[in-house]
Amino acid sequence: MRGPAGLVRAVVSGFVILAAVVLLCASGLLASARPARAGTGARTPRTDGAGVRRPGRVGAGPVADHLAAPVPPPPGTWTAPRIALGPVTAALIAPQISVDAAGDWVDASGTTAANAPAAARAAIAEGGPDPRTPIHSVSLVAQQVLSAGLEGRRLVLLAGTSPAGAGTGCCSSAELGAGTVTAPGALRPVLSGLEGPTTAALVPVRGGWLIGVDNQAGITALVSRTGAGVTASKLLAGSNPTPGLMAAGPWPGGGAVIVWTAPDTAAATVTGTTTTPSPGGAAAGTSTAASGYDQPADGRIEFALAGVGRLPGAPRLAVSVPPGREIDALTVTPSATGALIAWTESWFAGARYRSAVFWASLARGARAHLLSSPATAAVGVSLAGQPRRPELVAWQACRVGPGTCTTDAALWRRGGGWGHVRVLGPDDPTGFPVASAATDGNALVGWIAGGRVRVAVHRATSSGFSTAATISRGSGASALALRFGAGPEAVAAWVQGTDRERLMSALWEP
């Protein structure tokens, strides 16, 4: 038996243990009621200025991690849209976007007027990942920015212009310069003898830039090592009174590829076979590729490859489309062994208008594969992918009978080829969807529905898309552009309004 002293010690020990249990329970309740502090690995959901929900981390502890059901990856965060240029009374040109690895971005646009083409003026705006940082903008002496690129903090501009007093629109010459937005640097002529509307692409290659220019005077390639001057140039295709389409993008190993449409001088035949549509299919692209949507083009797609710091070699035939068909859109993106191209063909089957999306691999020979459904008319196509892997393709699919259109997309399968075609949502028939992808595999598809900008997110860790979010305010949006840089951030830019147009911009963070 215990003595009185032992009894007292046992009672005291019991009270101590009971008090400890009570304190532990109380501290757990307080911790669960207290907001998480920075650095603890848990944060509460919040919304940004545009009203887009920013989800907090799910499962902030061992119990939550064990009990929480699987959830889809968060759709990321869009900043509130901000005015990059304007408002202006003249019409704004569709923007071009460049983004660097730090999330700093440049929007290139300008003003134009149908009744005074010589009065067109190019303009650029610069912003960063911090929405509190002011946006800087400046007007240029050139009529149009043909293409722009960022090399770290260095801005490379390819601009087009016509002689003062000529009274004509862009372009009769192309000029190249390097600097910053606030000090763009002198624009020096690099190509003359151009005629009429001009499109161009700046492709970053190892040690410089490859430049492609498409004009009535022909398809010209130029090499620039510094972005401030040209070291060599080459005419790839001769003059064409109705310029076709051109696109350019990186090629594995630090080179580049230029693709374009050309007249079919012989009987047109498809190189390879055209496959019937599988449940999916598609084509891919890259955020650095340029796409053209000028007018119905020719019946051949040709391409040329450029090594590191070199001009492209001899043109090669990629695809010839069947007689009576025209190529209306063209885009390109790098793949592990070369590049993929995607295009749309249109034709009449009796009195019925038909249009479809096709894709082919330039590395494996030009074998055309049908991607879109034959029950729809496909308009426009946009590819997005990582530097050595295609990620997704998007296009507009219109139902000829009811006259309604949707944005359709497909994802690249790990084993190669395109997966099922997915309908992302209705869109306006007056615009085309755009896609872009980051080096980490995240990708975005944007389009305009009801005059509002809608964007769906594909995460590298998921097998689908998020529910599309509206990132613009009000209606009247048009001319959407979307671009990732070398980092995880992406920038969207679009024209807002009709009478007094504004160029709007918003930044996406994962």
Side-chain angles (χ1 to χ4, degrees):
M1 294 182 61
R2 295 180 182 175
L7 214 48
V8 170
R9 281 195 298 271
V11 171
V12 171
S13 298
F15 275 112
V16 170
I17 293 173
L18 182 60
V21 171
V22 171
L23 287 174
L24 286 173
C25 292
S27 63
L29 290 172
L30 287 173
S32 63
R34 185 184 302 126
R37 292 178 294 176
T40 63
R43 55 185 177 185
T44 55
R46 59 188 184 276
T47 58
D48 62 15
V52 179
R53 182 179 174 83
R54 299 188 62 178
R57 297 179 184 172
V58 178
V63 175
D65 287 339
H66 177 71
L67 297 178
V71 295
T77 304
W78 285 97
T79 61
R82 297 198 291 166
I83 298 176
L85 294 171
V88 297
T89 55
L92 283 170
I93 299 172
Q96 299 186 55
I97 306 172
S98 299
V99 189
D100 68 10
D104 296 309
W105 52 266
V106 171
D107 287 345
S109 181
T111 58
T112 184
N115 57 351
R121 283 294 173 268
I124 51 178
E126 176 189 46
D130 188 348
R132 296 168 297 181
T133 303
I135 294 177
H136 301 286
S137 61
V138 62
S139 296
L140 305 176
V141 294
Q143 290 178 310
Q144 183 181 341
V145 175
L146 300 176
S147 190
L150 281 173
E151 190 178 43
R153 294 288 298 169
R154 195 161 174 260
L155 173 65
V156 178
L157 282 175
L158 181 69
T161 191
S162 293
T168 59
C170 191
C171 304
S172 62
S173 65
E175 302 173 334
L176 187 68
T180 63
V181 170
T182 53
L187 293 171
R188 298 179 175 87
V190 294
L191 189 61
S192 59
L194 301 179
E195 303 173 19
T198 304
T199 58
L202 274 169
V203 182
V205 296
R206 190 184 304 164
W209 300 84
L210 180 73
I211 305 168
V213 180
D214 182 14
N215 185 266
Q216 291 182 23
I219 305 286
T220 304
L222 306 98
V223 173
S224 175
R225 300 191 185 280
T226 64
V230 167
T231 57
S233 64
K234 179 179 181 178
L235 185 67
L236 296 175
S239 61
N240 187 349
T242 58
L245 305 167
M246 183 200 70
W251 186 269
V257 59
I258 299 178
V259 297
W260 64 92
T261 58
D264 201 347
T265 56
T269 57
V270 176
T271 305
T273 59
T274 299
T275 62
T276 56
S278 59
T286 177
S287 57
T288 58
S291 302
Y293 293 97
D294 294 341
Q295 59 186 20
D298 305 300
R300 292 162 55 96
I301 298 177
E302 299 180 355
F303 71 101
L305 303 179
V308 177
R310 298 181 179 180
L311 287 168
R316 311 179 195 180
L317 173 65
V319 170
S320 290
V321 304
R325 297 191 180 191
E326 292 181 314
I327 302 169
D328 305 312
L330 176 66
T331 188
V332 64
T333 186
S335 63
T337 57
L340 299 181
I341 57 173
W343 68 96
T344 61
E345 296 176 17
S346 63
W347 69 98
F348 280 92
R352 184 181 179 186
Y353 175 80
R354 303 289 301 274
S355 181
V357 176
F358 293 84
W359 71 279
S361 171
L362 296 181
R364 300 175 182 174
R367 183 180 182 185
H369 302 269
L370 177 62
L371 172 62
S372 58
S373 168
T376 64
V379 185
V381 61
S382 181
L383 299 169
Q386 304 175 50
R388 295 181 63 86
R389 181 181 183 273
E391 197 65 49
L392 66 88
V393 61
W395 66 95
Q396 185 182 82
C398 297
R399 281 70 186 169
V400 179
T404 58
C405 300
T406 60
T407 289
D408 290 6
L411 297 170
W412 186 257
R413 294 190 295 253
R414 292 188 180 275
W418 295 99
H420 294 279
V421 175
R422 304 159 190 260
V423 178
L424 301 185
D427 67 2
D428 295 345
T430 55
F432 306 123
V434 291
S436 187
T439 55
D440 59 8
N442 292 332
L444 303 173
V445 178
W447 66 95
I448 295 175
R452 292 172 169 82
V453 178
R454 303 272 291 167
V455 181
V457 179
H458 164 65
R459 289 285 189 175
T461 56
S462 70
S463 59
F465 294 87
S466 70
T467 302
T470 300
I471 66 171
S472 62
R473 292 177 174 174
S475 59
S478 62
L480 174 64
L482 192 62
R483 186 83 176 259
F484 275 97
E489 296 89 2
V491 173
W494 64 93
V495 175
Q496 188 84 37
T498 52
D499 296 331
R500 293 178 59 81
E501 294 186 346
R502 305 173 301 281
L503 182 65
M504 308 299 297
S505 187
L507 180 80
W508 182 82
E509 296 176 314

